[in-house]
Amino acid sequence: MALCGIGLSPSLEGIDKWRLGGNFSTRLMVYRRFNWKPCARAQRRGFAVQCSSSRKVVSEESVQSEASVSVDDESDSGHVIRFNMGDFNILDRVSIGLSGRADEVVFEAIVKDSNSPLHNTKVVLRQLISVQAHRRGRRAIEVLKKLVRRRLMYHSYSMQVHGYVSSHTTSGRSLFTLVHGYHGSFSLRHWLQQADWLPTLEATLALDEESVRKVGDDSIGGPAASRQLRLIRLLMRDLLIGVNYLHSHGLAHTELRLENVHISPVDRHIKVGILGNAADFYEDGPNSSTLDSNMDRRQMMIAFDMRCVGFMMAKMVLRELMDPLIFTKFKSFLTKGIDPSCLREFLLQVLNRNSSSGNTGFQILDRNWGAGWNLLSLLLATKPSKRISCLDALRHPFLCGPRWRVDPSIDMIRWGLGSTAVRITEEYIYRQPQRARLAYFVELMEMLNPHSKPKNWLEFLPGKWRMLYCTGRHIGLTLRQPPARILVGYVHLTVTRPSKSNTNLSFTSDISFTVMTGQEWPHDKTGITGKLQINSLFRLMAGRRLYIKEEKTTPGLFSSQSDAQNSLVQKLSGRKWRKAVPFKDTPSSLSVAKLVSGDIELTMSLGHPLNHNVDAAKNIVQEVRTQIPPEMFDLSKFVCGTYVDSRFLVLRGVNGSALLFTRSCES
């Protein structure tokens, strides 16, 4: 758990910094001194020093005077203790979780002063070298003074600052050492990097019935996904309470990372760091004349902290993001301005998975109708004004166990319907119960469509969409002997808006497929690849979709659709959906986006040698047309759009079938 070091002297004077080398578990502490270089141009006004590590020239007199004035002011408050080096027994080792910056030297020590209230307490001495480090230390003391009114919360959720040591070297250089609490050997990042992190953290947090009751889940044990979900709920709730405590006092953390967060085995709380870089929301006070700019500054700072919390949650749930290469792709995806609601689609591609089965992190985020993905998208929202606050995140269904009753919002219900439909389509078992449930979910989504006006469709519709499911017919290769055996891959619909001056849209249907030429095609899916592309122009108009009420339905082609609508009417009239549905009675019509198509252009590309065989090309086109929905082959069969948001799209064909799409992250 700790790093063994070589202790040259119990005195801190003259020691500059350590360097950690070697592997993760055992690293050697190496001490070295600074190379101080006098500067000739400052000979008259004292002398200047140049630090070889930071390469910045600063005045030593200004550093000493600034540090002494600030520290003396803080010591008068009575909440900060001024220690001497003789008050400590310096230990010959330091924990890896305390590794500091390049301008810091970190030691562990025991307070030996019998008159001190911290007698026999292990503390951390953080010697600050550079000017920036001195500022961080003074800022940590200032924050302590500001938060002292609620010391219980400060002690529970922050790494407690006890005081400081101010001394001078033999050369006259001022040394400033911050004294703060010791909260275990590992940071949260080091905990998560252990092979046995789950049982170890459960033991550290004493995860019993009393502790998990705080998250509304009093169950013990279970599969790995359930155990990890309970642990993440505890950690996230503690982290959010600590961050909200800072925000309520007008402070932003600005450095929330797994490396800066520790778990105390004593009170089992998360410590959100020393707060040396905590920033004030209001530069000139909350009652200044620049109130509007201060509010913008406050919103931006809170949004920055919540984005950092989102990164921490993503790494806690999806362990693959601990890999720097994968996390770099993750951050680059977010910096492109793509809506984070598409994170699941993106991570499935990055992690090379066709479905979420077998990945514990995906299983956790998929639970409770995809509530985890919803919270993650709100924490990482592209617009700062759209990011969720700490209090709203604490009320989110993902962080509330089954013992707590949470009334989901209408946005959460829409999210859950789409997420559940995606999960069903990934199973690829389209028997009658699954087909009926998918049709039922699509009908519900259409009832709860948040964007019914054409201007909303012009905003959300452009982009690349991947087809998930069609409520129409499904024809495969199992019971047929087609002239060409085709395995259809991804089916995409790309919508572009050529000009913002009108409502014209360009639809492009891209169908990738493989022609399996071998006799062992049921077992060997390799073959010649091909692509079919259909283009058409559409004009978007406002319209309405009528629901025809029939007293009796004769059995036939539309009986299943009528049964789905009847069951939908019964469900919506029930007690469970009254708060969610924006109308009391089932409407006779709903607003939709009417699509009026123009000419259609079809092109196909095939690999060698089929690209020279006209008859083979005709058979391939016919087989692709048989397997895919007719609307994707003949785009003029799309008549209206019934649902659209940042994640999902539902289009209706002329025969009444619905096509469900999800926004694709592929370029």
Side-chain angles (χ1 to χ4, degrees):
M1 290 294 206
L3 297 179
C4 295
I6 302 174
L8 300 180
S9 170
S11 174
L12 298 183
E13 296 184 1
I15 297 175
D16 172 22
K17 66 178 182 178
W18 61 23
R19 286 185 177 180
L20 297 179
N23 58 21
F24 171 77
S25 58
T26 57
R27 299 186 183 182
L28 185 64
M29 289 169 35
V30 180
Y31 302 90
R32 72 173 180 88
R33 299 175 182 272
F34 268 118
N35 297 322
W36 299 103
K37 301 177 182 179
C39 183
R41 64 178 179 176
Q43 293 284 344
R44 295 181 181 179
R45 302 175 61 183
F47 65 97
V49 295
Q50 183 175 7
C51 175
S52 61
S53 63
S54 62
R55 302 193 180 189
K56 291 184 180 179
V57 180
V58 295
S59 172
E60 185 172 280
E61 287 183 351
S62 62
V63 173
Q64 292 181 7
S65 61
E66 186 180 358
S68 61
V69 171
S70 178
V71 170
D72 290 340
D73 292 342
E74 293 299 336
S75 61
D76 294 338
S77 64
H79 303 296
V80 181
I81 304 174
R82 179 166 182 169
F83 294 94
N84 297 317
M85 286 311 306
D87 297 336
F88 304 102
N89 281 327
I90 308 299
L91 303 181
D92 61 350
R93 65 193 63 195
V94 66
S95 303
I96 191 173
L98 299 175
S99 57
R101 303 168 183 258
D103 55 357
E104 295 178 354
V105 184
V106 185
F107 299 89
E108 292 181 16
I110 302 293
V111 180
K112 66 179 181 180
D113 184 9
S114 59
N115 297 324
S116 173
L118 301 174
H119 180 58
N120 284 335
T121 302
K122 181 183 282 191
V123 294
V124 178
L125 307 181
R126 194 174 292 268
Q127 188 184 86
L128 309 175
I129 304 298
S130 67
V131 179
Q132 291 82 4
H134 279 235
R135 290 173 181 168
R136 290 197 303 269
R138 293 193 301 272
R139 180 58 177 164
I141 296 177
E142 293 174 4
V143 171
L144 169 61
K145 181 180 177 180
K146 190 171 185 177
L147 301 178
V148 75
R149 291 174 297 173
R150 299 177 64 185
R151 292 189 68 113
L152 181 60
M153 290 289 290
Y154 175 77
H155 293 167
S156 298
Y157 296 101
S158 175
M159 191 175 288
Q160 182 182 0
V161 175
H162 299 302
Y164 66 95
V165 178
S166 182
S167 59
H168 295 80
T169 63
T170 55
S171 61
R173 187 166 59 91
S174 175
L175 292 177
F176 183 78
T177 304
L178 197 66
V179 182
H180 62 82
Y182 173 82
H183 302 290
S185 303
F186 281 176
S187 67
L188 184 54
R189 178 181 183 87
H190 295 117
W191 280 115
L192 296 176
Q193 286 178 334
Q194 301 301 301
D196 57 345
W197 70 275
L198 183 57
T200 306
L201 269 182
E202 285 179 338
T204 302
L205 296 174
L207 208 58
D208 52 12
E209 294 185 7
E210 184 64 23
S211 62
V212 297
R213 185 174 53 84
K214 295 188 297 183
V215 296
D217 188 355
D218 55 1
S219 58
I220 301 296
S226 300
R227 294 168 58 197
Q228 188 173 337
L229 176 58
R230 284 195 296 269
L231 191 62
I232 289 172
R233 279 173 173 165
L234 277 173
L235 296 176
M236 282 295 297
R237 293 190 69 84
D238 232 27
L239 176 62
L240 288 167
I241 291 173
V243 176
N244 182 69
Y245 166 64
L246 296 178
H247 291 174
S248 63
H249 285 76
L251 294 170
H253 191 288
T254 73
E255 275 195 328
L256 284 168
R257 295 192 300 268
L258 294 178
E259 297 84 353
N260 297 336
V261 172
H262 291 73
I263 300 176
S264 174
V266 179
D267 59 4
R268 295 178 289 176
H269 279 302
I270 276 190
K271 311 298 180 181
V272 291
I274 310 174
L275 307 179
N277 273 332
D280 291 305
F281 290 160
Y282 312 106
E283 293 179 316
D284 303 322
N287 299 322
S288 64
S289 58
T290 59
L291 185 59
D292 292 337
S293 62
N294 280 336
M295 292 303 295
D296 294 339
R297 173 184 170 91
R298 176 181 182 274
Q299 184 184 47
M300 292 297 294
M301 286 187 170
I302 291 178
F304 181 81
D305 275 356
M306 299 312 295
R307 181 180 173 90
C308 294
V309 172
F311 286 142
M312 295 175 66
M313 173 183 164
K315 289 184 177 181
M316 281 191 282
V317 180
L318 298 167
R319 301 288 307 284
E320 294 86 353
L321 294 179
M322 301 290 284
D323 185 346
L325 294 178
I326 297 180
F327 187 69
T328 301
K329 295 180 181 179
F330 178 74
K331 291 189 69 174
S332 64
F333 167 79
L334 296 173
T335 55
K336 292 178 182 178
I338 304 176
D339 198 298
S341 59
C342 306
L343 268 176
R344 189 180 188 276
E345 182 80 5
F346 168 74
L347 289 173
L348 280 174
Q349 301 171 12
V350 171
L351 302 181
N352 296 322
R353 295 180 178 274
N354 295 324
S355 67
S356 61
S357 59
N359 187 297
T360 304
F362 272 79
Q363 294 176 18
I364 291 173
L365 296 173
D366 283 338
R367 289 194 174 189
N368 299 327
W369 293 39
W373 295 109
N374 180 260
L375 177 58
L376 201 57
S377 67
L378 293 175
L379 290 170
L380 300 174
T382 305
K383 296 181 179 179
S385 58
K386 299 295 183 180
R387 289 178 198 156
I388 193 171
S389 66
C390 288
L391 291 178
D392 291 336
L394 288 168
R395 302 187 189 101
H396 195 274
F398 179 72
L399 298 181
C400 298
R403 295 288 182 179
W404 291 350
R405 293 183 59 86
V406 179
D407 291 331
S409 62
I410 186 66
D411 292 333
M412 190 65 217
I413 292 175
R414 293 191 192 101
W415 183 282
L417 289 172
S419 299
T420 307
V422 171
R423 293 294 309 281
I424 297 176
T425 58
E426 287 180 348
E427 298 297 331
Y428 201 71
I429 306 175
Y430 298 150
R431 299 179 60 190
Q432 186 58 34
Q434 284 86 351
R435 292 177 60 84
R437 181 169 295 184
L438 280 169
Y440 167 60
F441 283 161
V442 170
E443 290 277 358
L444 278 177
M445 292 171 65
E446 292 173 333
M447 291 282 186
L448 305 177
N449 181 26
H451 308 293
S452 57
K453 297 181 179 179
K455 64 177 182 179
N456 302 130
W457 280 81
L458 292 175
E459 177 185 356
F460 285 96
L461 189 56
K464 190 172 185 178
W465 303 87
R466 180 170 66 90
M467 195 189 78
L468 292 175
Y469 183 76
C470 174
T471 59
R473 62 176 187 172
H474 287 234
I475 300 177
L477 293 172
T478 307
L479 303 177
R480 296 186 302 116
Q481 293 294 329
R485 294 183 176 90
I486 304 299
L487 180 64
V488 177
Y490 284 116
V491 179
H492 289 101
L493 180 66
T494 305
V495 182
T496 56
R497 188 179 180 186
S499 175
K500 293 185 178 181
S501 60
N502 51 45
T503 60
N504 292 337
L505 297 170
S506 175
F507 280 40
T508 301
S509 174
D510 293 304
I511 305 164
S512 62
F513 57 87
T514 302
V515 183
M516 299 176 290
T517 57
Q519 296 296 325
E520 299 295 329
W521 65 268
H523 309 287
D524 184 9
K525 303 300 182 183
T526 60
I528 301 172
T529 59
K531 183 178 180 181
L532 196 64
Q533 188 175 86
I534 303 98
N535 298 299
S536 180
L537 288 176
F538 280 83
R539 187 160 49 92
L540 191 67
M541 302 172 57
R544 299 195 68 83
R545 181 190 177 202
L546 302 178
Y547 286 88
I548 302 175
K549 298 181 180 180
E550 299 180 355
E551 296 182 359
K552 293 183 180 180
T553 304
T554 58
L557 180 62
F558 301 100
S559 60
S560 60
Q561 183 176 353
S562 177
D563 293 340
Q565 292 182 359
N566 292 334
S567 63
L568 178 65
V569 171
Q570 295 177 0
K571 290 286 185 180
L572 294 179
S573 61
R575 181 178 179 183
K576 181 179 180 180
W577 291 93
R578 286 178 184 174
K579 295 182 180 180
V581 179
F583 34 76
K584 295 182 179 180
D585 299 327
T586 305
S588 59
S589 64
L590 288 177
S591 299
V592 296
K594 186 178 179 181
L595 299 173
V596 181
S597 66
D599 296 333
I600 295 176
E601 179 184 354
L602 187 147
T603 58
M604 186 177 67
S605 60
L606 274 175
H608 184 77
L610 295 180
N611 53 357
H612 298 292
N613 192 331
V614 178
D615 293 333
K618 291 181 179 179
N619 294 331
I620 291 171
V621 171
Q622 183 62 36
E623 180 60 23
V624 171
R625 186 174 183 178
T626 302
Q627 292 192 31
I628 66 171
E631 292 82 3
M632 295 302 296
F633 187 84
D634 185 358
L635 294 177
S636 63
K637 293 184 180 295
F638 282 125
V639 293
C640 65
T642 55
Y643 183 91
V644 68
D645 62 11
S646 59
R647 274 204 313 167
F648 295 109
L649 169 69
V650 178
L651 299 178
R652 288 277 178 177
V654 68
N655 60 356
S657 61
L659 277 73
L660 176 64
F661 298 85
T662 183
R663 193 178 295 273
S664 175
C665 302
E666 296 180 3
S667 58

